[in-house]
Amino acid sequence: MSARNAIVWTLTASVLIALVTPTAIGDGPVYKITELKADGNAQSKAYGINNTGQIVGWTIVDGGLSHAAHWLNEVFTDLHGVVHLELLHPYPQFSGDVSEVYSISNADQIVGAGLTVIECPEKVTILNAMIVQPAVLSDLATPYPGDSVVNLGSFAHPCVGHDSAAVGISNRNHVVGWADVDGGGTVHAFLVTPVNGEWAERDPNTLVNNHLRDLGTIDSGSTVSAATAVNDEGTVVGYTYIRSGRVSPVTGLTEAGYHAFRVVPLDANADGLEDTWFAGALPVNDLMEDLGTLGGNNSWARDINNMGQIVGESDTPSADTRAFLWQNGQMSDLGTLGGANSSASRINELGQVVGWAENAAGQRRAFVYVDGVMRDLNSQLLATSNPKITLTEARDINDSGQIVGWGVAKNGTEDVFQAFLLQLATVEEIAEAEAIVAQQGAGSSPTGATGSTGGSSDGATASGVTIVGTPNTLADAPGANPPESETDDGAAPASPSLCGTGLLGFLPLTVLTALGIRGRRRD
């Protein structure tokens, strides 16, 4: 970051701290909760929120398929029905009835991935990264006209290198994710920026998007990397497979694993107009920096703010997984809520972190990390709150302190997901809620000091799996089970190809379900 930009961000952070200092009674910030509804009260998950309060994620529609979702002022929009992903789209069209989105910029640009069916010549279902942009003058009738959807493609012809997903976006037109390189198990992190306003320029022969930049890997023996976030300076974070790992004290073998990385771009022309994110010879990127681990084999970076602070999760020597904060060259363990495992998903410009952590009972709970303390968000709700869900995953926090994610509720005997929005309560709202509780004479609030809620705790038990940033299932975008660490036996990690078996941690549960694919995933 330049000295000028550092000063700007320092001043900005100072103003935000004055405006967004959490109000609290007792211990930590206090929040109002809004349960974000979808059509027909369908299941939903919220992945991202921008500084204007626009929220994105996905919902389950009839048939169990996922549709990209958008909320503003509690109003739900099914982007599949508005954007018409199957229409007005550069080849290949998004003809599959499945899409998910994971991140949204302050300019309301949304990134994610969708399914489409192509002929190679047989019909093949593939997953492609996409960016959805706000309305253009040619179509003001809807917030997201169909001609604003762009298929970002992959690094190979769609019949060869099938799949990709866009996971993160900055406020300066950087989009990052992962894409298939050769159809043979090689998947690399990508970055794309628009050229003359266009996000894609397809080679007429290969149909490859020439604007996609391959970020490579950190190890010449690796075939896998994925980018999960990018800040406004263009610094990219994610994770890459590394073969030259530590020597196991148990087996004596050299172990391999996934390591969090950072790529700080170079100004190629020293004029601020053209940056470069790769140096060296593919696949090894000399600009890709290994951020290390907390002593275990694996680590995954999930987000970076404009101050350069990075969050994610890492294995420990005891094989637990812990949320981390990386800054000034040092990775710090953020702890848990009394259990063994935790994972951090996002950090805002004030250094406030959200994610999930296990409590002493081994149950997964959404957390906020403020002023050096991790707190269970279920215990930070307004005294009069009586949510029907248990908050299990916090996925994003904006600079106003608004938090989105999802919880678990009971629908009969079934556990269901429900998206939520948390907003900081005012001093007046806190005092009013406390007065109401006092008048009730029971001496306890509906949520209580223990953080229990009206939702189910049975379905919120964590098994120690981590989130994905592709979603975190395609996420991460965005979740799935952590990849198995492998010994130095020459076995390579599988690729996230939808057309065969693969590293399913790159893909979302709903997409996999739609394709009839089952496997271990990171969620």
Side-chain angles (χ1 to χ4, degrees):
M1 180 181 296
S2 67
R4 178 181 61 83
N5 285 332
I7 293 173
V8 169
W9 279 110
T10 300
L11 293 174
T12 301
S14 300
V15 173
L16 288 170
I17 289 172
L19 294 175
V20 191
T21 299
T23 53
I25 287 186
D27 183 25
V30 176
Y31 297 94
K32 301 176 290 183
I33 183 171
T34 299
E35 296 177 26
L36 299 173
K37 301 297 184 180
D39 289 343
N41 291 323
Q43 293 192 70
S44 58
K45 291 187 176 183
Y47 276 96
I49 182 170
N50 64 14
N51 284 338
T52 63
Q54 294 171 308
I55 301 165
V56 295
W58 51 267
T59 182
I60 299 295
V61 298
D62 291 343
L65 304 179
S66 61
H67 277 194
H70 181 277
W71 291 269
L72 178 61
N73 298 325
E74 300 182 39
V75 176
F76 166 76
T77 300
D78 183 338
L79 293 181
H80 229 87
V82 174
V83 177
H84 305 300
L85 297 180
E86 74 279 9
L87 301 175
L88 302 175
H89 193 282
Y91 178 86
Q93 300 173 352
F94 285 113
S95 55
D97 192 26
V98 173
S99 63
E100 296 182 4
V101 288
Y102 313 111
S103 186
I104 181 170
S105 73
N106 289 337
D108 204 13
Q109 295 171 310
I110 301 170
V111 295
L115 291 184
T116 188
V117 178
I118 60 176
E119 295 186 1
C120 299
E122 72 284 0
K123 289 186 176 180
V124 177
T125 299
I126 66 174
L127 178 78
N128 273 179
M130 67 180 180
I131 178 169
V132 183
Q133 301 183 87
V136 294
L137 293 179
S138 61
D139 184 355
L140 298 180
T142 64
Y144 297 94
D147 59 357
S148 68
V149 184
V150 178
N151 186 332
L152 298 176
S154 69
F155 291 119
H157 189 285
C159 288
V160 177
H162 302 291
D163 307 316
S164 62
V167 182
I169 184 170
S170 76
N171 295 311
R172 294 185 181 175
N173 286 333
H174 310 94
V175 172
V176 296
W178 58 264
D180 198 338
V181 173
D182 57 13
T186 302
V187 176
H188 284 181
F190 75 73
L191 178 138
V192 61
T193 55
V195 177
N196 297 323
E198 298 294 330
W199 289 93
E201 178 188 67
R202 295 191 181 277
D203 183 287
N205 297 314
T206 65
L207 301 179
V208 171
N209 180 4
N210 291 327
H211 295 339
L212 281 186
R213 303 169 191 252
D214 189 339
L215 299 184
T217 68
I218 205 168
D219 189 315
S220 60
S222 174
T223 58
V224 173
S225 64
T228 54
V230 56
N231 68 11
D232 293 345
E233 292 292 304
T235 298
V236 181
V237 297
Y239 52 91
T240 180
Y241 189 78
I242 292 182
R243 288 189 176 277
S244 52
R246 66 168 190 163
V247 176
S248 169
V250 178
T251 66
L253 299 175
T254 300
E255 297 179 327
Y258 290 83
H259 280 206
F261 73 73
R262 177 181 71 162
V263 175
V264 179
L266 299 177
D267 182 358
N269 294 333
D271 57 8
L273 297 179
E274 182 179 346
D275 291 339
T276 180
W277 285 264
F278 188 93
L282 280 171
V284 178
N285 185 354
D286 294 340
L287 300 182
M288 188 173 284
E289 176 185 359
D290 185 351
L291 300 185
T293 73
L294 291 173
N297 287 338
N298 301 289
S299 63
W300 301 268
R302 300 300 178 189
D303 195 28
I304 180 172
N305 64 13
N306 287 307
M307 302 303 294
Q309 296 172 303
I310 300 168
V311 295
E313 72 267 10
S314 173
D315 293 345
T316 66
S318 60
D320 296 325
T321 299
R322 293 294 180 84
F324 73 74
L325 169 65
W326 186 96
Q327 57 184 347
N328 301 321
Q330 182 69 37
M331 183 179 289
S332 302
D333 186 340
L334 297 186
T336 71
L337 294 171
N341 302 287
S342 60
S343 176
S345 57
R346 292 292 177 93
I347 182 170
N348 66 10
E349 297 309 324
L350 303 183
Q352 299 166 341
V353 182
V354 295
W356 66 262
E358 292 175 3
N359 61 20
Q363 298 166 322
R364 181 179 296 197
R365 294 293 182 260
F367 77 76
V368 63
Y369 185 90
V370 178
D371 297 330
V373 179
M374 179 184 289
R375 295 179 173 89
D376 185 340
L377 283 169
N378 293 280
S379 301
Q380 304 302 126
L381 302 180
L382 207 59
T384 49
S385 298
N386 187 24
K388 297 179 176 60
I389 60 176
T390 299
L391 310 183
T392 56
E393 298 257 358
R395 277 311 181 92
D396 200 4
I397 179 170
N398 67 12
D399 295 335
S400 297
Q402 294 175 306
I403 299 171
V404 296
W406 62 82
V408 175
K410 281 291 186 184
N411 181 12
T413 60
E414 180 185 8
D415 289 328
V416 295
F417 296 112
Q418 174 69 62
F420 68 78
L421 165 67
L422 300 184
Q423 302 180 81
L424 287 166
T426 65
V427 173
E428 293 76 15
E429 289 170 330
I430 296 172
E432 181 182 358
E434 294 291 336
I436 291 174
V437 171
Q439 290 173 0
Q440 292 174 344
S444 64
S445 67
T447 55
T450 62
S452 62
T453 72
S456 161
S457 62
D458 298 336
T461 301
S463 60
V465 298
T466 56
I467 65 173
V468 232
T470 29
N472 211 9
T473 79
L474 256 196
D476 166 213
N481 294 329
E484 303 274 346
S485 59
E486 70 180 38
T487 57
D488 193 24
D489 59 2
S495 72
S497 171
L498 291 178
C499 299
T501 60
L503 182 65
L504 302 184
F506 281 100
L507 303 176
L509 178 60
T510 49
V511 168
L512 294 174
T513 300
L515 293 169
I517 298 175
R518 299 291 187 273
R520 297 195 63 203
R521 301 167 52 264
R522 311 185 59 220
D523 201 13

